[in-house]
Amino acid sequence: MEPSVQVRDLKRDRVNFVLENVDLSFANSLRRVMMAEIPTVAIDIVEVEMNTTVLPDEFIVHRLGMIPLNSMNCDEALRYNRDCTCSVSCRYCAIQLVLRVSCNDNETLHVTSDHLEVVAQTSYDDEGEVGDELSKRSEEFGHPVGKGNPNHQPVLICKIRKGQELRVKCTAKKGIAKEHAKWSACSAVSFEYDPYNKLRHTSHWFEVDERAEWPLSDNAKEEEPPRENEGFDYNAVPKRFYFEVETVGSVSPQEVVLKGLRELQAKLANLILAVQSTSDMPSIEGADVPAQMAMQPPGPAWGAPVATSPNNPYASPSGGQTGAWGGGSDQWSGRGSGTSPSSNTGWNSTSPSWDSGSGAWGGASSWNI
Amino acid sequence: MNAPARHELYVLEEGEKPVEITDDTKIPNAATIKVVKQDHTLANMVRGELLRMNNVLFAGYKVPHPLHPYFLIKLQTDGSETPVKVLSQACTKLIGDLSSLEQKFQREFSFKDARVDGPAGDDPYGTGAGGQAWAAGRDYLDF
């Protein structure tokens, strides 16, 4: 069965859709990639020139980092600072913003994201290779979300009273939420399947009456309720997945979903290429891998640079068959090193993806806020 | 400050090989593939697809340590294909699924776009704003 999708609702900041005829692992990967691997722009470096507010510098800097900045088409409109050839940052790899507010009235002044101004960067000597990034930007690229819209409530940074001042210079960079959650394009991705719990993927704890204490979600209307005394179908697998993707406003929900799908394709294409260039050594039967398998990803849509054969960094002739395991005798000796719980060392073979259910924030470093 | 760069979790280092393939010495038609700088997102999806293939006898993956950014995928086939080839096939199948899904999404979105432009929809802060960002300006698809 072909995978299919039905968009139930689309709003400015959210999309609700039903994904059908896909594997649980597939749906979960889509969820994870939308949460953690959509590139956006966020303030990354802040130079505090003057801060006489009641909040300490670190506090304000952290709040600035969390402000969503317009990141439409961020893939092409900005390059990663780490990939840029400039010495520190330039207009191709960073957006400069300033915040200069002082209070001279007797009323409390609210410093908000609307006070952040993008500084137009002119060209100068120390910038990276010339690229077409600038032409890929919309006018609002890098501006705080909703700035200039009278109906939009800005993000409060701090409150200042008479005589207090806040002057900062910010450098916004491109990044993904795997590195820091401030780059997440999504504030929430909800993901539900099997609203009646027919598959027994969870067990409902209850006092007296399970049905009264576990109200059904709205998605239950989409599925047939189980009949009385229906037997347990141990071959059943989840097929319908109910998604709601809620963005922070930096990227449209359409873009989040489509970029997520692209990102997954890029990952897979890179894996195919890598596997083939590694196994194309004469020692292995992979030499007859059909040429059509060397999927050349189409065009510039592929976010991550895909290695192509001429300068393929993977194609070193030394091969990956041996080594690394020290003779390949006892491959699993490194298993369960120390502190990790046993669930991390077991093979996630047949059971559905429980361990990865906990989501994209798995790596500890994601929390370095 | 000796903290490693955070992007080392997902960006290959200079000259680093993205996969290492180790053929199993004791089990026929089995291999272990180490995929570097990737996580459950890729691993679970590939494993799921491998398990749906008829000539795969075993497929499983693990992330040996949550702080080490790689996973191992182990698979055994029935001998009609090499494990590496089967893995490529699984990935190709997934790419096909994803791109067909992408087209379906684009079609669905083009139907729904009209409604976004209208008065419907709250802005991100629930203030029911008249739209600017996505409705008025250029859309990502325009680029």
Side-chain angles (χ1 to χ4, degrees):
Chain A
M1 284 277 263
E2 274 273 285
S4 68
V5 67
Q6 179 205 344
V7 175
R8 295 197 292 190
D9 192 21
L10 178 61
K11 296 233 173 82
R12 189 155 300 107
D13 65 328
R14 62 188 63 218
V15 59
N16 186 305
F17 60 88
V18 186
L19 198 61
E20 241 179 313
N21 299 325
V22 298
D23 211 45
L24 175 59
S25 58
F26 184 99
N28 190 46
S29 290
L30 177 62
R31 179 190 66 89
R32 285 174 60 97
V33 86
M34 287 192 297
M35 284 208 302
E37 305 195 34
I38 308 292
T40 59
V41 197
I43 292 172
D44 198 34
I45 289 179
V46 178
E47 199 180 310
V48 181
E49 289 171 353
M50 170 68 82
N51 176 16
T52 49
T53 69
V54 291
L55 297 184
D57 292 1
E58 295 90 329
F59 203 127
I60 287 171
V61 168
H62 178 245
R63 292 180 72 76
L64 286 167
M66 299 296 144
I67 293 170
L69 305 179
N70 191 315
S71 313
M72 196 199 289
N73 198 30
C74 190
D75 254 356
E76 295 168 5
L78 199 67
R79 58 179 82 142
Y80 284 107
N81 186 242
R82 57 172 183 269
D83 296 337
C84 193
T85 47
C86 67
S87 64
V88 183
S89 68
C90 70
R91 58 193 177 138
Y92 295 113
C93 64
I95 305 278
Q96 303 289 341
L97 299 106
V98 292
L99 180 70
R100 299 220 158 91
V101 193
S102 58
C103 180
N104 301 307
D105 299 326
N106 281 320
E107 270 176 49
T108 308
L109 179 70
H110 291 202
V111 182
T112 68
S113 60
D114 280 356
H115 288 110
L116 276 170
E117 305 274 353
V118 172
V119 184
Q121 289 162 281
T122 45
S123 64
Y124 52 98
D125 298 340
D126 181 35
E127 70 179 16
E129 239 172 83
V130 177
D132 61 351
E133 278 87 353
L134 302 178
S135 66
K136 303 270 187 188
R137 290 181 195 170
S138 67
E139 272 167 43
E140 282 135 10
F141 188 82
H143 290 251
V145 168
K147 189 174 176 183
N149 182 347
N151 296 316
H152 186 277
Q153 208 172 359
V155 181
L156 182 66
I157 298 165
C158 83
K159 296 179 180 181
I160 56 177
R161 59 165 289 171
K162 193 172 187 179
Q164 296 180 341
E165 189 181 11
L166 182 61
R167 276 205 323 258
V168 297
K169 271 190 198 164
C170 312
T171 307
K173 291 178 184 170
K174 177 175 162 182
I176 63 171
K178 226 175 169 183
E179 182 170 333
H180 191 298
K182 70 184 173 186
W183 277 296
S184 185
C186 299
S187 45
V189 182
S190 80
F191 170 95
E192 186 185 15
Y193 63 92
D194 188 26
Y196 289 103
N197 193 28
K198 287 181 197 167
L199 302 171
R200 309 279 197 275
H201 280 190
T202 185
S203 61
H204 289 152
W205 182 91
F206 57 93
E207 290 270 3
V208 187
D209 180 8
E210 182 180 346
R211 291 206 185 155
E213 290 164 41
W214 289 92
L216 293 169
S217 77
D218 283 346
N219 296 325
K221 288 176 202 145
E222 302 255 346
E223 292 192 10
E224 247 176 65
R227 280 173 280 112
E228 283 295 322
N229 303 323
E230 186 179 322
F232 175 59
D233 180 3
Y234 48 84
N235 283 319
V237 287
K239 278 235 169 65
R240 277 169 78 81
F241 300 91
Y242 306 94
F243 277 82
E244 167 127 349
V245 179
E246 181 186 313
T247 72
V248 291
S250 56
V251 182
S252 73
Q254 294 102 308
E255 189 175 339
V256 169
V257 175
L258 295 175
K259 282 273 165 67
L261 293 168
R262 285 270 165 86
E263 184 64 39
L264 284 177
Q265 291 177 60
K267 275 177 187 291
L268 288 160
N270 280 328
L271 178 59
I272 295 178
L273 268 166
V275 161
Q276 278 171 359
S277 55
T278 311
S279 67
D280 263 350
M281 260 60 73
S283 59
I284 209 168
E285 299 153 78
D288 60 22
V289 174
Q292 49 101 12
M293 294 292 289
M295 292 254 326
Q296 280 305 319
W302 300 82
V306 178
T308 43
S309 29
N311 52 356
N312 188 342
Y314 317 149
S316 87
S318 55
Q321 281 86 311
T322 54
W325 294 110
S329 53
D330 184 11
Q331 302 177 338
W332 307 107
S333 58
R335 221 176 201 232
S337 44
T339 54
S340 67
S342 60
S343 67
N344 283 320
T345 55
W347 287 96
N348 304 318
S349 179
T350 47
S351 69
S353 56
W354 299 120
D355 65 330
S356 54
S358 56
W361 318 116
S365 61
S366 298
W367 293 109
N368 291 342
I369 292 171
Chain B
M1 305 305 241
N2 56 359
R6 290 180 300 195
H7 65 253
E8 280 176 23
L9 283 176
Y10 54 92
V11 179
L12 285 168
E13 275 157 51
E14 196 76 24
E16 191 178 21
K17 273 184 276 167
V19 295
E20 266 173 38
I21 303 169
T22 316
D23 283 320
D24 204 304
T25 49
K26 291 174 184 162
I27 308 168
N29 304 312
T32 304
I33 296 143
K34 177 183 179 188
V35 183
V36 181
K37 303 290 158 83
Q38 292 293 345
D39 61 6
H40 295 283
T41 308
L42 182 64
N44 193 18
M45 187 166 69
V46 171
R47 188 225 49 187
E49 188 60 37
L50 284 169
L51 287 175
R52 281 152 56 116
M53 297 174 81
N54 291 327
N55 49 3
V56 171
L57 299 182
F58 177 88
Y61 84 91
K62 67 175 175 182
V63 178
H65 193 284
L67 295 180
H68 295 156
Y70 70 90
F71 69 83
L72 301 166
I73 192 156
K74 192 164 196 159
L75 77 145
Q76 187 189 7
T77 66
D78 60 6
S80 57
E81 300 269 24
T82 63
V84 167
K85 216 166 162 182
V86 165
L87 182 70
S88 296
Q89 282 167 2
C91 292
T92 314
K93 171 82 182 5
L94 281 170
I95 290 182
D97 283 355
L98 283 162
S99 58
S100 88
L101 208 53
E102 198 180 323
Q103 280 168 10
K104 284 171 185 165
F105 263 113
Q106 267 164 352
R107 206 176 53 224
E108 287 273 316
F109 285 147
S110 65
F111 290 150
K112 301 272 176 181
D113 265 347
R115 273 217 279 144
V116 179
D117 292 338
D122 288 341
D123 82 343
Y125 301 90
T127 47
Q132 46 120 34
W134 312 119
R138 289 196 291 173
D139 194 69
Y140 141 70
L141 296 171
D142 294 341
F143 286 99

